[in-house]
Amino acid sequence: MNKLYEQLLPYLERNHAYQTALALLSWDTETLAPPAAADYTAKSVGILSEEAYRILVCDEVHDLLKKLSSKKEQESLSAEERAVVRCLKKEYEKTACIPQKEYREFSEFCATAQTIYCRAKLADRFEDFAPVLEKMIDYTRRFASYRAKKGDNLYDLLLNDYEEGFTVKVLDDFFEQLRKALVPLLHKVTAKKDMIDKSYNYRTYPVEKQRDFCRFLAGYTGFDFNRGVIAESEHPFTTNLHNHDVRLTNHYHEKNLESAIFSVIHETGHALYEMGVDDSLTGTPAGAGVSMGMHEAQSRFYENMIGRSDAFWEPLFAKLTAAFPDELADVSMEQFLNGINRAEPGLIRTEADELTYPLHIMIRYELEKQIFSGDCTVKDLPELWNQKYKEYLDVTPKTYAEGILQDIHWSMGNFGYFPSYAIGSAIAAQIYSYMKGQMPLDDYLKEGNLVPVREFLRDHIHKYGSIYTTNELLKQMTGEEFNPDYYIRYLTEKYTRLYQL
Amino acid sequence: MNKLYEQLLPYLERNHAYQTALALLSWDTETLAPPAAADYTAKSVGILSEEAYRILVCDEVHDLLKKLSSKKEQESLSAEERAVVRCLKKEYEKTACIPQKEYREFSEFCATAQTIYCRAKLADRFEDFAPVLEKMIDYTRRFASYRAKKGDNLYDLLLNDYEEGFTVKVLDDFFEQLRKALVPLLHKVTAKKDMIDKSYNYRTYPVEKQRDFCRFLAGYTGFDFNRGVIAESEHPFTTNLHNHDVRLTNHYHEKNLESAIFSVIHETGHALYEMGVDDSLTGTPAGAGVSMGMHEAQSRFYENMIGRSDAFWEPLFAKLTAAFPDELADVSMEQFLNGINRAEPGLIRTEADELTYPLHIMIRYELEKQIFSGDCTVKDLPELWNQKYKEYLDVTPKTYAEGILQDIHWSMGNFGYFPSYAIGSAIAAQIYSYMKGQMPLDDYLKEGNLVPVREFLRDHIHKYGSIYTTNELLKQMTGEEFNPDYYIRYLTEKYTRLYQL
């Protein structure tokens, strides 16, 4: 092993131990911790974040990274080691420019902000969250400015954190294409919205039975219970301490059958990515999925391309009706397949169908652009939100909770994150198109055999962790970089067929 | 505030943040974490323990503690601050004598040892655990020798960690008194063992219903769900991150009604102690219960003196039969009260009745004495265990799992811990005797009002955290230090009455 790289290992180990503890504290807060603990936990998170900062931001790490980035040293490193150095350097540069004290204050503030957000949403009071949001935007702007080079667009920097290379310029173009294709398509679909009856979905489905069926579904889809656990939280999410400890949550609504079902398939898609990272990367800065866009590509691929397909349900529908014999007694498989693919403009992103989903994202993207260009204040946001929902989806929130307060992301400081949901959906369609040419996908699904799907993704994407960028992975696999045409074609064909347009 | 004490605060805060993370990692491993995570978690625990060591063991803390221990400085500190200094100093002295590298290795080893123990117990293979136990004993002996003064008995040092002042000399005397009084009493009881029929307890009690009833019982007994949570683990236990985050676990056996019921009351007793610590001590080294003996006094007081009393069940028995109407249809309250107090020699400590319980402890105490005096090797332990069970309880384990492997403590390095279970039981009886003179206890219980009990314990014990020692608390409250007579009298009277001896 390269001598300099060897000197880096103790820092990597320590860094990983802190990240493990911080990830666990965050997971615990979301899933289990008692309410009164929140403020105390926030303080511990602040302190441990500061300690982690100290490990990373020191002369030794700085010097090692500098030396290891030289052409000569790079040549003696393995692909994995080069990726580790690159990822750590990125993390270093993002962190080291922030003064230590501010970093700690921000970490503590983040942990508190989520609690305040959750309470504000519950009470439907935007005014309670507004000062926090303002402070969060200030922090984000300030921290981005610390690392900005002359002429950098701050929002570009944020976007780059979640998906390298996807600047405002790229995304404006991407969303413009989506808007042009999807808005007219949605109008046609909406005109025929009564074609599909989905009332069965809103009957009463006992939570206990949903929980059992979703657990089965996760395992069916490939979730490895030896390396992961399933818990519950307000909003489903997936987190990973490392590739041997991957955790997802679900949420069960008694009066909505498909919410939990597609959430668990979605989150299993995320989990399979992390579980599939090669062991040579475990616990290193390159040991997780490369980007939020590629992550969403996995989850939305499983949720939509696989999970909403006829072939997937062919061996499963009988299991579903066996779990809910009375509730689904009069529902045919065809009805169910139409129901789970029905499109209709709505207010809630996480409950949106495939067709309207990217429009929800576009709205958030446009708002974030305005926030960081200084075109709007926090006070304007609820009204702007509602205007855009009216314009793109022709719906109007009646409460803050179903409007501006619906997503947790901003309370976590995740600005620039939303676009990766749409990018991910587009990548999922691109992968889907390619995969269908490589294997008899529907046949496998009809046999109830998801192994070839998982292995294909593992071999082409998962195992590499963060070794390659999204575009590199796509190019290696499909021969082509990111191309949203597949996504537009996929949605157009799907909804044209479904609604007989 | 004293200037020197003020300088100590940042160390206290950091120390607390690490203790929080480590406690959470341990809790998570016991309750939820996926099996494959264990070795990775152990490594992170090792690293974070070493980091915590660095915070504590440094010249600044050493100097501050030294200065703050001077008579002059002590006089300017509040009682809380003095306790914090004393507790931190104790922790410092126990830790600083261990070389940093060994400390980390030991912490990592501990986290692994538990996993190996659990697997060995499951497979009923003592030989798999023996090398770990040997290493654990070596570590314990070595670490104790680092801080031993000339002429110190190593086992005394260990005992002192769990209950200050309870040396081998004190405990030999204590257990001798117990043996003399309880062994003949148990013979008389065993002769009449068929007097009480407890077969109803081993019917089938659905776990889901047990879980609901136990949750209700915890709240009834005073558990504050705003500051605590209940989860599940192989063995019930309680842990606390601080007084606003106290966690207990339970374990449900379908074929045993009372196991989960008395476990949850027992653990709630522990939880109430931690939840009752005054906020001025939160997150400090004095912010938890003062000793294991005093902790067990709380848990066993609630479990036995309260939870197995006629008065406690008077308002509750109807709720119990409502939860299990078919299962308990033919069981009267009298039968139930006799059943939950029945005594019979058995193999398993945690399932033992009040009368045989201290004999289980005595066996472990005698073995630990032999281990640390060098009178026996790890290889001898299973046979010695069985001999003592034969001698004191006239039963013989058929497997390691119900013999030498039944308790997790030694795999955690907790040597010297067991005696505090018996000490705690004795203190519970002492408190009970005093409390009955201070309030109409049975009347409160019959009214279903446990508030006066909780407040009494909070005012006299809980709120003080670690400010006073066990004996100081007992003296302040009852006018008398530890006195096992109450315990012997309590057990003698109880079983004489129950079995009409």
Side-chain angles (χ1 to χ4, degrees):
Chain A
M1 188 183 276
N2 179 303
K3 288 279 174 223
L4 290 166
Y5 189 82
E6 213 172 335
Q7 288 174 43
L8 200 60
L9 293 181
Y11 295 98
L12 294 180
E13 275 186 357
R14 288 167 79 194
N15 188 43
H16 179 62
Y18 283 99
Q19 298 318 323
T20 299
L22 289 166
L24 186 61
L25 277 157
S26 168
W27 157 269
D28 182 72
T29 299
E30 295 288 323
T31 55
L32 184 75
D39 292 344
Y40 298 87
T41 306
K43 191 150 196 183
S44 291
V45 165
I47 291 170
L48 293 170
S49 300
E50 190 182 12
E51 298 284 312
Y53 177 104
R54 270 185 238 238
I55 307 297
L56 178 65
V57 182
C58 63
D59 293 345
E60 293 81 5
V61 172
H62 178 263
D63 292 350
L64 285 170
L65 284 174
K66 199 173 166 188
K67 286 176 188 158
L68 281 162
S69 302
S70 75
K71 192 156 173 280
K72 180 174 153 270
E73 300 295 343
Q74 284 278 307
E75 277 166 3
S76 77
L77 297 178
S78 69
E80 287 80 6
E81 290 164 353
R82 272 199 303 276
V84 168
V85 170
R86 199 187 61 242
C87 291
L88 190 68
K89 204 175 164 198
K90 196 174 163 187
E91 192 58 31
Y92 182 91
E93 284 167 358
K94 199 178 152 188
T95 312
C97 60
I98 305 168
Q100 181 172 328
K101 192 164 157 282
E102 281 185 40
Y103 187 82
R104 170 181 168 170
E105 282 164 4
F106 175 67
S107 304
E108 187 174 338
F109 170 66
C110 276
T112 321
Q114 282 172 65
T115 310
I116 296 171
Y117 158 77
C118 291
R119 285 179 198 151
K121 184 177 177 184
L122 212 66
D124 200 39
R125 289 171 58 89
F126 179 70
E127 59 272 36
D128 290 355
F129 179 55
V132 171
L133 180 55
E134 217 152 297
K135 200 169 162 187
M136 191 62 91
I137 293 168
D138 284 350
Y139 264 122
T140 308
R141 193 178 272 134
R142 183 145 36 99
F143 286 5
S145 75
Y146 288 152
R147 61 186 159 117
K149 294 187 188 69
K150 212 186 155 197
D152 274 352
N153 173 342
L154 289 192
Y155 190 45
D156 272 348
L157 284 180
L158 302 179
L159 290 168
N160 202 60
D161 290 341
Y162 298 102
E163 196 53 73
E164 220 172 299
F166 285 70
T167 57
V168 167
K169 193 169 171 302
V170 173
L171 288 172
D172 277 351
D173 185 48
F174 171 51
F175 282 115
E176 180 58 17
Q177 287 184 61
L178 289 184
R179 205 185 52 74
K180 268 193 192 152
L182 302 187
V183 171
L185 181 60
L186 181 60
H187 283 151
K188 285 191 237 170
V189 166
T190 308
K192 298 181 84 172
K193 72 185 165 83
D194 294 334
M195 229 182 91
I196 296 171
D197 173 20
K198 196 175 166 166
S199 55
Y200 71 85
N201 188 58
Y202 308 103
R203 294 172 182 166
T204 303
Y205 297 90
V207 164
E208 195 58 45
K209 286 190 197 174
Q210 288 194 45
R211 196 181 283 121
D212 287 349
F213 187 74
C214 286
R215 192 178 165 83
F216 156 75
L217 259 187
Y220 182 89
T221 311
F223 189 85
D224 178 355
F225 287 95
N226 190 40
R227 290 177 167 217
V229 295
I230 299 184
E232 288 174 44
S233 66
E234 181 56 29
H235 291 284
F237 69 95
T238 301
T239 189
N240 59 308
L241 307 193
H242 44 72
N243 67 342
H244 284 69
D245 191 337
V246 182
R247 298 162 180 228
L248 67 80
T249 70
N250 204 352
H251 187 100
Y252 308 95
H253 303 271
E254 200 185 43
K255 295 274 184 190
N256 189 334
L257 172 62
E258 69 176 53
S259 173
I261 286 179
F262 290 100
S263 287
V264 81
I265 302 176
H266 179 99
E267 300 306 332
T268 300
H270 283 304
L272 292 180
Y273 194 177
E274 295 299 339
M275 286 172 169
V277 171
D278 194 82
D279 282 352
S280 62
L281 297 168
T282 311
T284 73
V290 67
S291 72
M292 285 306 122
M294 193 48 106
H295 241 299
E296 281 300 315
Q298 310 310 303
S299 57
R300 292 188 65 78
F301 174 80
Y302 271 103
E303 176 191 351
N304 296 323
M305 285 74 187
I306 300 291
R308 295 185 201 270
S309 73
D310 296 5
F312 180 72
W313 284 100
E314 198 169 297
L316 276 179
F317 188 68
K319 290 212 165 67
L320 180 67
T321 52
F324 301 101
D326 300 332
E327 298 86 343
L328 293 174
D330 59 347
V331 179
S332 71
M333 183 160 139
E334 199 196 336
Q335 226 178 320
F336 177 74
L337 287 167
N338 285 335
I340 62 176
N341 285 296
R342 184 173 190 265
E344 187 179 9
L347 290 163
I348 309 297
R349 176 184 64 84
T350 55
E351 303 287 332
D353 55 80
E354 280 183 89
L355 181 54
T356 55
Y357 191 85
L359 301 176
H360 288 267
I361 300 306
M362 200 182 334
I363 291 170
R364 287 152 177 81
Y365 169 65
E366 291 179 3
L367 289 177
E368 288 188 346
K369 269 205 301 183
Q370 285 186 266
I371 291 171
F372 288 98
S373 65
D375 287 351
C376 74
T377 67
V378 164
K379 242 179 87 182
D380 305 329
L381 286 173
E383 187 49 34
L384 280 172
W385 179 285
N386 291 3
Q387 280 170 18
K388 287 184 189 291
Y389 263 85
K390 183 71 194 161
E391 184 185 342
Y392 293 130
L393 289 157
D394 197 25
V395 293
T396 306
K398 287 196 196 63
T399 63
Y400 292 125
E402 61 185 21
I404 187 73
L405 284 182
Q406 78 177 252
D407 293 308
I408 198 169
H409 302 61
W410 291 346
S411 78
M412 301 166 83
N414 293 341
F415 297 97
Y417 185 126
F418 283 119
S420 51
Y421 287 120
I423 296 166
S425 301
I427 295 173
Q430 190 170 350
I431 293 171
Y432 183 53
S433 165
Y434 179 74
M435 195 189 277
K436 280 196 301 186
Q438 300 297 309
M439 64 166 78
L441 180 57
D442 279 357
D443 293 345
Y444 287 138
L445 296 181
K446 283 178 191 169
E447 290 162 13
N449 179 11
L450 274 88
V451 175
V453 181
R454 192 171 73 243
E455 287 189 345
F456 185 91
L457 293 173
R458 180 167 293 181
D459 288 346
H460 289 92
I461 300 170
H462 300 176
K463 71 175 182 188
Y464 293 117
S466 298
I467 295 183
Y468 302 112
T469 66
T470 297
N471 267 327
E472 284 169 351
L473 287 168
L474 285 173
K475 185 79 188 275
Q476 280 174 33
M477 173 167 57
T478 70
E480 191 181 10
E481 294 198 344
F482 177 74
N483 180 351
D485 292 351
Y486 295 98
Y487 184 39
I488 292 168
R489 200 178 310 143
Y490 164 80
L491 289 175
T492 308
E493 283 176 11
K494 171 168 183 164
Y495 286 98
T496 302
R497 194 174 63 246
L498 186 68
Y499 283 90
Q500 299 159 19
L501 301 177
Chain B
M1 188 182 277
N2 179 302
K3 288 279 174 225
L4 290 166
Y5 189 82
E6 213 172 335
Q7 288 174 43
L8 199 61
L9 293 181
Y11 295 97
L12 294 180
E13 277 186 356
R14 288 166 79 194
N15 188 43
H16 179 61
Y18 283 99
Q19 298 318 324
T20 299
L22 289 166
L24 186 61
L25 278 157
S26 167
W27 158 268
D28 181 73
T29 298
E30 295 288 324
T31 56
L32 184 75
D39 292 344
Y40 298 88
T41 305
K43 192 152 196 184
S44 290
V45 165
I47 292 171
L48 293 170
S49 300
E50 189 182 14
E51 298 284 314
Y53 177 104
R54 270 185 237 239
I55 306 298
L56 178 66
V57 182
C58 64
D59 293 346
E60 293 82 3
V61 171
H62 178 263
D63 292 350
L64 284 170
L65 284 173
K66 198 172 166 188
K67 286 178 189 159
L68 281 163
S69 302
S70 75
K71 191 155 175 279
K72 183 173 152 270
E73 299 296 342
Q74 284 277 308
E75 277 166 4
S76 77
L77 297 177
S78 69
E80 286 81 5
E81 290 163 354
R82 270 199 304 275
V84 168
V85 170
R86 198 187 61 241
C87 291
L88 189 68
K89 203 174 164 201
K90 195 173 164 185
E91 192 58 31
Y92 181 92
E93 285 166 359
K94 197 177 153 187
T95 312
C97 59
I98 304 168
Q100 181 172 326
K101 192 163 156 284
E102 279 185 42
Y103 188 82
R104 171 181 168 171
E105 283 164 3
F106 175 67
S107 304
E108 187 174 337
F109 169 66
C110 275
T112 321
Q114 281 172 65
T115 311
I116 296 171
Y117 158 76
C118 291
R119 286 178 197 150
K121 183 177 178 184
L122 212 66
D124 199 39
R125 288 171 58 87
F126 179 69
E127 58 271 38
D128 291 355
F129 179 56
V132 171
L133 180 54
E134 216 151 296
K135 199 169 164 187
M136 191 61 92
I137 292 169
D138 283 350
Y139 263 124
T140 307
R141 193 178 273 135
R142 183 145 35 100
F143 286 5
S145 75
Y146 288 153
R147 59 186 161 116
K149 294 189 188 70
K150 211 184 156 200
D152 274 351
N153 172 342
L154 290 191
Y155 190 46
D156 272 348
L157 284 180
L158 303 178
L159 289 167
N160 202 60
D161 290 341
Y162 298 101
E163 196 53 74
E164 220 172 301
F166 285 69
T167 57
V168 167
K169 191 168 171 304
V170 173
L171 288 172
D172 277 351
D173 185 47
F174 170 51
F175 282 114
E176 180 57 17
Q177 286 185 60
L178 290 184
R179 205 185 53 74
K180 269 194 192 153
L182 302 186
V183 172
L185 181 60
L186 180 60
H187 284 152
K188 286 191 235 169
V189 166
T190 308
K192 298 181 84 172
K193 73 186 165 82
D194 295 333
M195 229 182 90
I196 296 172
D197 174 20
K198 196 176 167 169
S199 56
Y200 71 86
N201 187 58
Y202 308 103
R203 293 171 182 168
T204 302
Y205 297 89
V207 165
E208 195 59 45
K209 284 190 196 173
Q210 287 194 45
R211 198 181 280 122
D212 288 348
F213 187 74
C214 286
R215 192 178 165 83
F216 155 76
L217 259 188
Y220 182 89
T221 310
F223 189 85
D224 177 355
F225 287 95
N226 190 43
R227 291 177 167 214
V229 295
I230 299 184
E232 288 173 44
S233 66
E234 181 55 30
H235 290 286
F237 69 95
T238 301
T239 188
N240 58 308
L241 308 193
H242 44 73
N243 67 342
H244 284 70
D245 191 337
V246 181
R247 299 161 180 230
L248 67 81
T249 70
N250 204 351
H251 186 99
Y252 308 96
H253 303 270
E254 201 185 43
K255 296 273 184 191
N256 189 334
L257 173 63
E258 70 176 53
S259 173
I261 286 178
F262 290 99
S263 287
V264 82
I265 302 176
H266 178 101
E267 300 305 333
T268 300
H270 282 303
L272 293 180
Y273 193 176
E274 295 300 339
M275 286 172 169
V277 172
D278 194 82
D279 282 353
S280 63
L281 297 169
T282 311
T284 72
V290 68
S291 73
M292 285 307 123
M294 192 49 106
H295 241 299
E296 281 300 315
Q298 310 310 303
S299 58
R300 292 188 64 80
F301 174 80
Y302 272 102
E303 176 191 351
N304 295 323
M305 285 74 188
I306 300 292
R308 296 186 200 269
S309 72
D310 296 5
F312 180 73
W313 284 101
E314 196 168 300
L316 276 179
F317 187 68
K319 290 212 165 64
L320 179 68
T321 52
F324 302 100
D326 300 333
E327 298 85 345
L328 292 174
D330 59 347
V331 179
S332 71
M333 182 161 139
E334 200 196 336
Q335 227 178 318
F336 176 75
L337 287 167
N338 285 335
I340 61 177
N341 285 296
R342 183 172 191 265
E344 187 180 9
L347 290 163
I348 310 296
R349 176 185 64 83
T350 56
E351 304 286 332
D353 55 80
E354 280 183 90
L355 181 54
T356 55
Y357 190 84
L359 301 176
H360 289 266
I361 300 306
M362 199 182 334
I363 292 170
R364 288 152 177 81
Y365 169 66
E366 291 179 2
L367 287 177
E368 289 189 345
K369 268 203 301 181
Q370 285 186 264
I371 291 172
F372 288 97
S373 64
D375 286 351
C376 73
T377 68
V378 164
K379 242 179 86 182
D380 305 329
L381 286 172
E383 188 46 36
L384 280 174
W385 180 284
N386 291 4
Q387 280 169 15
K388 286 184 188 291
Y389 263 84
K390 183 71 193 161
E391 183 185 344
Y392 293 131
L393 289 157
D394 197 25
V395 293
T396 306
K398 286 196 196 63
T399 64
Y400 292 126
E402 60 184 23
I404 187 75
L405 284 181
Q406 78 177 254
D407 293 309
I408 198 170
H409 302 61
W410 290 346
S411 78
M412 302 165 82
N414 293 341
F415 298 96
Y417 185 124
F418 283 120
S420 51
Y421 288 119
I423 297 167
S425 301
I427 295 172
Q430 191 170 350
I431 293 171
Y432 183 53
S433 165
Y434 178 73
M435 195 189 275
K436 281 195 299 183
Q438 300 296 310
M439 62 166 79
L441 179 57
D442 280 357
D443 292 344
Y444 287 138
L445 296 181
K446 284 178 191 169
E447 290 162 14
N449 180 12
L450 275 87
V451 176
V453 180
R454 192 171 73 243
E455 287 188 345
F456 185 91
L457 292 173
R458 180 165 293 180
D459 288 346
H460 289 93
I461 300 169
H462 300 176
K463 72 174 182 188
Y464 293 116
S466 298
I467 295 183
Y468 302 111
T469 65
T470 297
N471 266 328
E472 283 170 350
L473 287 169
L474 284 173
K475 184 80 188 273
Q476 279 174 33
M477 174 168 55
T478 70
E480 190 180 9
E481 294 197 344
F482 177 74
N483 180 351
D485 292 351
Y486 296 98
Y487 184 39
I488 291 168
R489 199 178 310 145
Y490 163 80
L491 289 175
T492 308
E493 283 176 11
K494 172 170 183 163
Y495 287 97
T496 303
R497 195 174 61 246
L498 186 68
Y499 284 90
Q500 300 160 19
L501 302 177

